[in-house]
Amino acid sequence: MGISLRNSLVAVLTFGGGAALLFILTFIHINQGNVSIPMATVIDAIFHPTDTLAHHTVRILRLPRAMMGILAGGALAVAGVVLQTVTKNPLSSASTLGIHSGTYFAVVASTVFFPVALFGNGIVVAFLGGIGTFFLVYILSGGNHASPVRMVLAGMIVTFLFSSLTSVLQIFYENETAGLFLWGSGTLVQNDWSGVQFSYPFVIVGFIVILAMSFKLDTLTLGDDVAIALGQNVNVVKFISIIAAVMLTSVTVSVVGPIGFVGLVAPHIIKLIGYRKHVPLIIASFIWGGNVLLMADILARVIDPSFSELPVGAITALIGAPWLIWLVLRMKRTQYGEENASVIAGKATSAMSLKVILPVLTGLIIIVMFVNLASGNYGFEPVLMYQAFFGDSNEFMKNLVIDLRLPRAIVALTSGMVLAVSGLIFQGVLRNPLADPSVIGITSGAGVGALMTMFVFGVSAFWIPIGAMIGSFVFFMVVMLLAIRAKFQPTILALLGIGVSAFGSAIIQILVVKSDLGVAAALTWLSGTTYAKGWTEFTHYLIWPIVIIFPLLWLRISLLDTLSLGDDTAKGLGLRVMSSRFQLAFLATVLAAFSVAAVGAIGFVGLIAPHVARLLVGPSNRRLLPVTILIGGLLLLIADLFSRTLLAPNEIPSGIIVAIIGAPYFLWLMKRKA
């Protein structure tokens, strides 16, 4: 077969086949619903409409939804093409760079505080949130010098931050944001043509602008220096392209919510076919983006034949997360080199003596514990707290301090310790100081296991923590299999963790919507909370890791120092590298599972505590372990104090407090290292 004939056949299949598939999926999509409508009636409703219920159902409800799917999928795919070209990052999309989380937060915040700004479906607010988030991620990750890993990790941390802030608003303003949860998961539901009529002019303008810039985008792929030598104003080209891409993203978010991974999957389908020039790449991506989103919406209604509306964003994540994992695994090692994916490994500036740092940290814990026990809805009351323990206090105050505040504070302290050690072990095993149970998907798996226990199997509350443990172990096995496949390359593992977490989060979204769980209750549990925790959680889940696993790790902690020397050196020293990694990672998973069973999915403790400890006492893991334990406990104890007192008598989940503290800290460190 000649090259020209082959190219013609590929073009016919890509464009003609893609358009034909889009046509077929549109008809399948239109025919889905609570009431089955014959195909002949669907065709008549489109081409020869009459004033009948069936025709109105097709033309006013089903056809607008299908058209919105094509517009949104195409727009997100084209935006993904631009983001990948401008950032020189094949993993870029509106979801991986945090743009979706920024637009979602902007819309939710405006709904609560500035509803007048939500004119025009809130597109202005969504656009400002999206463009601000992109530039934040772009600058913090190093701008033109950012590596793919650094940029995606910055996007991940920004996503954590905005998701936490959004959860706070949804918890405390449940009535104002009641209709935003399903929309926030992505949904194509349309009640008329208003969404299509609003969005299509923006999509057409954005598409034309990007198409007009396509030849200049081709030169960007050659490198900035070459593009400048060819007479391009690189900064102007990037700015216009990004504005157009974010506008396409914003208009889709304003109508259908943040739908992730379409901008990652569709462009890569076309690139795998062989297209690199932007004119065919943009056109084909638009067609196949529509196909991906329509197929996801069809699949959502096949999975749930009751048509209670599964979020299509969760389905695209179920499709896109494995795609991201596969994409990362097939990339050559040379694309990442030997860059330390952690970006912020943290070196000791003055290795402090343990004789100094351990008493200081212990003293801080005692002080925070005292403040915690003495603080409540009526402010700081140390005298009443003292009387509850040692004086003649009334029964109410004794119960409040001794039976409620004290066990809750101990649960927060010990959970923080357990999470911190889990993070330390994962960082050492995976050679990546950004590894953490929440980052690599372990806590996501625990959330899946707990929710499935509650709403799929319908067993008693006693089994929920056990379900969380089972889910975390299943996801642990997936992560370890992927880690073995990736040969434990830190950069690859950081990205694989994002994919695994996204997959788990998608399942959680589906379960929350299917179970009709109250939004505030779901977000509170999923964010991690120490609310109403007491001696039961401590004795059932937290005392055993401290009594059994901590001493065991103390005996084996030197293995992490050997692993940090590299696999070849470790093998030369007689260490069974794979076996040691698996054993230590298993213990770290057990720790994370016990913590999730006790307080839910709290992130960032396992990131922050080991890093701060490393800054204080250096890289030796035998010195790091006790310092990490104390810092982790102190951190979650402070978060528990703030969760009770900042907006008293209302409570903020402790996990959200930690994320709001931790995300800016890590973003600042990334900027400092950029």
Side-chain angles (χ1 to χ4, degrees):
M1 183 184 293
I3 295 177
S4 60
L5 181 59
R6 179 183 177 278
N7 290 340
S8 298
L9 184 58
V10 169
V12 169
L13 291 175
T14 303
F15 296 95
L21 179 60
L22 194 62
F23 183 79
I24 294 169
L25 290 176
T26 299
F27 270 92
I28 294 173
H29 190 278
I30 292 172
N31 201 45
Q32 283 186 305
N34 289 321
V35 178
S36 180
I37 299 176
M39 186 62 68
T41 304
V42 171
I43 295 172
D44 283 340
I46 295 173
F47 297 106
H48 307 289
T50 60
D51 189 15
T52 64
L53 179 60
H55 284 200
H56 284 305
T57 301
V58 171
R59 292 180 63 84
I60 297 176
L61 295 179
R62 299 188 182 181
L63 192 56
R65 179 171 180 157
M67 293 301 103
M68 196 63 240
I70 295 171
L71 285 173
L76 290 171
V78 173
V81 172
V82 172
L83 292 172
Q84 289 162 23
T85 299
V86 170
T87 62
K88 302 181 182 69
N89 182 358
L91 302 176
S92 288
S93 71
S95 49
T96 56
L97 296 185
I99 295 173
H100 276 151
S101 64
T103 55
Y104 186 27
F105 170 71
V107 172
V108 172
S110 293
T111 301
V112 174
F113 300 113
F114 308 106
V116 69
L118 294 175
F119 59 89
N121 276 43
I123 186 173
V124 174
V125 171
F127 176 79
L128 292 176
I131 199 71
T133 304
F134 171 79
F135 283 116
L136 176 66
V137 170
Y138 190 69
I139 292 169
L140 291 174
S141 59
N144 290 331
H145 305 291
S147 67
V149 166
R150 183 188 291 268
M151 187 168 289
V152 174
L153 289 176
M156 175 197 71
I157 296 171
V158 166
T159 297
F160 277 154
L161 175 60
F162 282 131
S163 297
S164 298
L165 294 173
T166 303
S167 295
V168 171
L169 295 178
Q170 289 180 309
I171 290 169
F172 288 106
Y173 298 93
E174 187 173 8
N175 292 332
E176 291 86 345
T177 62
L180 295 180
F181 187 77
L182 180 61
W183 173 85
S185 301
T187 177
L188 293 180
V189 174
Q190 303 292 306
N191 294 322
D192 51 36
W193 285 92
S194 59
V196 175
Q197 290 170 345
F198 169 79
S199 58
Y200 85 83
F202 291 98
V203 173
I204 290 173
V205 170
F207 182 80
I208 291 173
V209 169
I210 292 172
L211 205 58
M213 302 289 291
S214 58
F215 295 108
K216 295 180 179 180
L217 289 172
D218 286 338
T219 61
L220 285 185
T221 60
L222 303 175
D224 288 359
D225 294 337
V226 175
I228 293 171
L230 293 173
Q232 297 289 352
N233 189 328
V234 171
N235 291 330
V236 171
V237 172
K238 288 183 177 180
F239 181 78
I240 294 174
S241 301
I242 287 298
I243 291 294
V246 174
M247 185 184 74
L248 289 176
T249 302
S250 301
V251 71
T252 59
V253 169
S254 67
V255 178
V256 299
I259 297 175
F261 288 100
V262 176
L264 184 70
V265 173
H268 279 289
I269 291 175
I270 308 307
K271 290 177 181 178
L272 287 173
I273 293 173
Y275 287 100
R276 293 294 182 270
K277 297 294 183 181
H278 278 79
V279 170
L281 182 58
I282 289 168
I283 297 172
S285 293
F286 188 94
I287 295 171
W288 283 90
N291 280 327
V292 169
L293 192 49
L294 279 185
M295 194 176 298
D297 203 35
I298 291 169
L299 183 60
R301 293 192 282 180
V302 169
I303 293 174
D304 181 17
S306 68
F307 297 97
S308 60
E309 292 304 339
L310 290 182
V312 68
I315 303 299
T316 59
L318 286 179
I319 299 170
W323 185 278
L324 174 63
I325 292 170
W326 174 79
L327 192 63
V328 170
L329 287 175
R330 73 181 290 272
M331 286 183 173
K332 297 179 180 177
R333 182 177 183 141
T334 53
Q335 285 186 265
Y336 299 111
E338 294 299 323
E339 178 199 2
N340 185 355
S342 69
V343 181
I344 50 175
K347 296 181 180 179
T349 53
S350 57
M352 298 177 64
S353 169
L354 291 182
K355 294 180 180 179
V356 175
I357 193 65
L358 292 181
V360 169
L361 290 173
T362 303
L364 288 174
I365 288 173
I366 292 172
I367 292 171
V368 175
M369 179 72 77
F370 175 81
V371 175
N372 204 324
L373 295 179
S375 300
N377 293 346
Y378 301 103
F380 184 55
E381 301 170 318
V383 175
L384 291 177
M385 187 275 290
Y386 179 83
Q387 291 175 345
F389 278 101
F390 307 108
D392 296 326
S393 178
N394 60 61
E395 199 66 26
F396 173 78
M397 283 304 300
K398 284 186 177 181
N399 290 336
L400 180 65
V401 174
I402 298 175
D403 296 334
L404 295 179
R405 291 182 187 173
L406 178 61
R408 172 173 171 166
I410 290 175
V411 166
L413 177 68
T414 51
S415 293
M417 291 177 171
V418 169
L419 280 174
V421 174
S422 179
L424 175 67
I425 302 303
F426 274 124
Q427 289 170 17
V429 167
L430 303 180
R431 291 184 298 162
N432 176 12
L434 270 184
D436 165 82
S438 60
V439 173
I440 63 175
I442 303 300
T443 53
S444 211
V448 171
L451 288 176
M452 289 189 71
T453 303
M454 282 189 277
F455 303 114
V456 176
F457 301 110
V459 296
S460 65
F462 170 80
W463 295 96
I464 293 173
I466 296 175
M469 292 181 187
I470 294 172
S472 64
F473 286 126
V474 171
F475 274 54
F476 161 72
M477 293 304 300
V478 173
V479 169
M480 291 307 294
L481 289 173
L482 292 173
I484 294 170
R485 175 77 181 274
K487 299 179 180 178
F488 288 93
Q489 296 176 54
T491 51
I492 303 295
L493 282 174
L495 298 174
L496 292 174
I498 294 173
V500 173
S501 294
F503 187 81
S505 298
I507 298 175
I508 288 171
Q509 281 184 332
I510 292 172
L511 291 173
V512 168
V513 173
K514 281 285 292 177
S515 63
D516 198 25
L517 181 66
V519 172
L523 291 173
T524 299
W525 191 90
L526 293 172
S527 300
T529 180
T530 49
Y531 175 74
K533 304 301 180 183
W535 295 120
T536 300
E537 286 76 19
F538 177 72
T539 56
H540 285 185
Y541 309 116
L542 296 174
I543 193 172
W544 309 113
I546 294 172
V547 172
I548 298 174
I549 299 179
F550 279 16
L552 186 60
L553 284 173
W554 177 256
L555 297 175
R556 305 279 290 172
I557 197 70
S558 59
L559 293 179
L560 290 180
D561 293 320
T562 307
L563 287 173
S564 68
L565 301 174
D567 288 3
D568 293 337
T569 303
K571 290 176 182 176
L573 293 173
L575 184 68
R576 297 174 61 187
V577 173
M578 294 298 291
S579 175
S580 299
R581 273 210 175 100
F582 188 89
Q583 292 172 16
L584 290 171
F586 180 79
L587 290 177
T589 302
V590 173
L591 291 175
F594 274 111
S595 176
V596 172
V599 296
I602 294 179
F604 277 105
V605 174
L607 283 172
I608 298 174
H611 178 73
V612 174
R614 205 173 286 113
L615 291 173
L616 293 174
V617 299
S620 170
N621 283 283
R622 190 166 291 278
R623 289 167 57 83
L624 278 174
L625 182 60
V627 178
T628 299
I629 289 172
L630 294 179
I631 292 175
L634 177 63
L635 180 61
L636 196 50
L637 191 60
I638 292 172
D640 177 63
L641 172 62
F642 286 158
S643 75
R644 291 196 302 109
T645 58
L646 279 181
L647 297 176
N650 296 318
E651 287 211 18
I652 306 172
S654 302
I656 292 178
I657 296 289
V658 175
I660 292 173
I661 296 171
Y665 173 71
F666 270 82
L667 290 172
W668 172 75
L669 286 171
M670 290 189 72
K671 179 66 177 86
R672 193 182 68 170
K673 294 285 183 178

